[in-house]
Amino acid sequence: MAIKTYPLLLVLDQSIEFIEDEKALRDTTHLLDDASLKRLILVYPNDCCSNAHGAPVQCIDLKYLTELVQQYLVNEGQCCVSKIQLSTTQQAFDLLSLS
């Protein structure tokens, strides 16, 4: 995979993962097949998005990113996540780096 920088958010189907370094990326993607890699979106703190090969793609909107972050936090045992409303991509990084 052509990765620009870390940290990044990995979005696949209806899930999101916070990736802080190359090891976390390998751990998260080592079982993905080619079809899954084609659907993968990498989100960077500067609001840029790319596919697994580093080619720019349209970024996911903040509403959908908010939903993914909320679901991630629920899965981690957090409560009251419905109050979370992202106004920037950086806020998603801040929330997920703490969990």
Side-chain angles (χ1 to χ4, degrees):
M1 273 192 251
I3 303 303
K4 295 179 183 178
T5 60
Y6 296 96
L8 58 91
L9 301 176
L10 187 147
V11 177
L12 179 61
D13 298 327
Q14 296 180 4
S15 67
I16 191 168
E17 290 292 329
F18 179 80
I19 307 295
E20 66 272 359
D21 56 28
E22 187 174 340
K23 180 185 180 319
L25 180 66
R26 279 194 314 270
D27 291 347
T28 303
T29 60
H30 77 280
L31 294 177
L32 295 180
D33 59 15
D34 288 337
S36 295
L37 286 173
K38 289 179 182 177
R39 295 189 316 273
L40 189 75
I41 298 175
L42 304 173
V43 181
Y44 298 93
N46 63 356
D47 294 327
C48 292
C49 295
S50 70
N51 63 18
H53 302 291
V57 297
Q58 181 178 357
C59 279
I60 58 178
D61 67 20
L62 282 175
K63 183 177 186 290
Y64 183 58
L65 184 59
T66 297
E67 292 169 4
L68 292 173
V69 169
Q70 288 172 336
Q71 186 58 51
Y72 180 92
L73 294 173
V74 165
N75 293 344
E76 293 291 313
Q78 300 294 323
C79 62
C80 302
V81 298
S82 63
K83 296 178 181 180
I84 294 172
Q85 296 300 315
L86 302 178
S87 57
T88 67
T89 303
Q90 183 62 50
Q91 288 175 324
F93 281 85
D94 295 341
L95 286 167
L96 296 179
S97 68
L98 297 174
S99 61

